[in-house]
Amino acid sequence: TAAGRLIIKTEFLPTKYRGYMLPLSQVFWLAGSLLIIGLASVVIPTIGWRWLIRIASIPGIILILAFKFIPESARFNVSTGKTQAALATLQRIAKMNRSVMPEGKLVEPILEKRGRFADLLDAKYLRTTLQIWVIWLGISFAYYGVILASAELLERDLVCGSRSESEAESEVAVTLPDTEESHSPCHCHMFAPSDYRTMIISTIGEIALNPFNILGINFLGRRLSLSITMGCTALFFLLLNICTSSAGLIGFLFMLRALVAANFNTIYIYTAEVYPTMMRALGMGTSGSLCRIGAMVAPFISQVLMSASFLGALCLFSSVCVLCAISAFTLPIETKGRALQQIK
């Protein structure tokens, strides 16, 4: 859904506005993240986490009904020979903007074939595709790793390895009543209101660097901007190991959330711009698949490995981010100021 939404916006927005408007959509992602944290702080202590999942699924159901109001990409319609449908969409946009359609006709060539997976591995795009896949996997790994690690740090108080697993278990054994949940192998406790506040503050970080992210994308270019933010992400993962106060921990988590969100903004834009129309959705779709793999691996590091070796988990996250920074810096194509390509 996120990939499809971004592709449509990319194909509608002019080149000069793309680097500004797409990162601003992060505001709505932030709003959803804050809403679910606030909802969790109320629902989980009262009626349980299962009800949180039920309530959180409602917007997704409403979204299914809203899809019919989203216009199809005019570029896609033209490329498939549906010129009248494309004109109808453009006329609707002109009417909304209180403007008139310019004279002339749409002359984009009709594509005889759709993008195939083999096209992503064509000699022209092979290196770009492989490096993009590495970056997508690493960014997702870091993004969900930060989110899960935040919860893990707050639940188990493992900052700086100051408390061992056995100490955390003994505290749970003392403080929890003798219920079925007290014998859970999880050995975690309910979030306190201060923990939810920490999560909210760190989540707000996802938009904190948006102005700098927009400037970097538009003035430094997509590749350099992404390599810088990925390198800083690697650094802040390592800084989590510094023994600090609660405010210091919140500050590090705040910056990490800001950086991983900036990484996602940039790679979304780059991937949508680097591929031509016939391959754009396919390129975003395959990249999204790698993104899901990164998300699936993250819990094993941020929740399992982190409990056994806090520094080991941080070093692994940092190493992956360094690899992504190198991949971003060496991408063969810069898309800053580049018009969207229609065909290969």
Side-chain angles (χ1 to χ4, degrees):
T1 302
R5 165 182 55 81
L6 189 102
I7 291 171
I8 289 178
K9 286 194 294 185
T10 300
E11 295 184 350
F12 274 119
L13 288 171
T15 301
K16 64 178 180 178
Y17 296 126
R18 205 177 299 134
Y20 295 93
M21 296 306 298
L22 294 179
L24 289 178
S25 63
Q26 184 71 15
V27 173
F28 297 95
W29 181 279
L30 170 67
S33 299
L34 293 176
L35 178 61
I36 197 65
I37 295 173
L39 195 62
S41 67
V42 175
V43 173
I44 292 179
T46 54
I47 55 179
W49 62 269
R50 290 181 176 83
W51 273 103
L52 176 65
I53 294 176
R54 291 166 186 152
I55 296 172
S57 65
I58 295 174
I61 297 172
I62 297 174
L63 184 61
I64 294 174
L65 304 176
F67 278 149
K68 69 175 183 178
F69 299 104
I70 300 175
E72 180 57 86
S73 165
R75 285 177 178 271
F76 175 79
N77 278 333
V78 170
S79 68
T80 55
K82 301 176 182 177
T83 306
Q84 290 304 314
L87 283 171
T89 298
L90 295 176
Q91 287 168 352
R92 176 183 169 189
I93 294 172
K95 184 178 179 180
M96 291 175 63
N97 291 325
R98 298 178 182 178
S99 182
V100 294
M101 289 280 291
E103 295 183 2
K105 60 180 181 178
L106 300 175
V107 293
E108 290 283 0
I110 298 175
L111 302 179
E112 299 296 332
K113 64 177 183 177
R114 299 288 177 270
R116 301 168 301 170
F117 182 79
D119 293 329
L120 296 175
L121 303 179
D122 182 81
K124 182 178 179 180
Y125 289 103
L126 177 60
R127 179 181 164 188
T128 301
T129 296
L130 293 179
Q131 289 184 228
I132 284 177
W133 285 351
V134 169
I135 295 169
W136 270 94
L137 193 153
I139 288 177
S140 176
F141 177 66
Y143 180 83
Y144 291 101
V146 170
I147 294 174
L148 294 170
S150 300
E152 194 72 6
L153 290 171
L154 294 172
E155 282 183 351
R156 302 189 180 215
D157 193 21
L158 294 178
V159 183
C160 305
S162 59
R163 296 174 62 200
S164 66
E165 185 71 14
S166 59
E167 289 175 322
E169 290 178 19
S170 63
E171 179 181 299
V172 171
V174 171
T175 58
L176 285 180
D178 189 20
T179 62
E180 182 179 346
E181 290 189 0
S182 68
H183 300 291
S184 167
C186 167
H187 303 297
C188 53
H189 57 79
M190 295 285 287
F191 267 23
S194 60
D195 295 327
Y196 285 110
R197 286 195 296 270
T198 298
M199 293 292 288
I200 288 173
I201 293 171
S202 62
T203 300
I204 292 174
E206 292 200 11
I207 200 173
L209 290 184
N210 244 13
F212 298 101
N213 188 212
I214 291 171
L215 289 174
I217 288 172
N218 288 282
F219 293 98
L220 299 179
R222 280 55 163 162
R223 294 181 302 182
L224 182 56
S225 177
L226 181 56
S227 63
I228 291 173
T229 54
M230 286 302 309
C232 291
T233 305
L235 174 62
F236 272 90
F237 264 117
L238 294 179
L239 290 178
L240 275 181
N241 192 56
I242 296 177
C243 292
T244 183
S245 63
S246 176
L249 173 63
I250 293 173
F252 288 146
L253 292 176
F254 182 91
M255 284 303 301
L256 268 173
R257 292 292 288 269
L259 288 165
V260 293
N263 295 336
F264 254 130
N265 283 341
T266 310
I267 195 59
Y268 262 121
I269 294 172
Y270 182 85
T271 307
E273 290 178 334
V274 77
Y275 292 116
T277 300
M278 63 176 290
M279 297 165 52
R280 190 168 296 119
L282 183 63
M284 290 292 294
T286 53
S287 298
S289 299
L290 271 295
C291 176
R292 300 299 174 263
I293 293 175
M296 288 188 288
V297 174
F300 294 99
I301 308 304
S302 60
Q303 294 185 306
V304 179
L305 178 59
M306 188 167 283
S307 297
S309 175
F310 186 71
L311 181 59
L314 295 182
C315 287
L316 181 56
F317 279 121
S318 183
S319 298
V320 170
C321 291
V322 169
L323 176 62
C324 291
I326 295 171
S327 295
F329 187 75
T330 57
L331 281 166
I333 302 172
E334 173 57 71
T335 62
K336 173 190 169 186
R338 180 175 181 253
L340 292 181
Q341 307 297 299
Q342 186 71 10
I343 58 177
K344 287 174 59 179

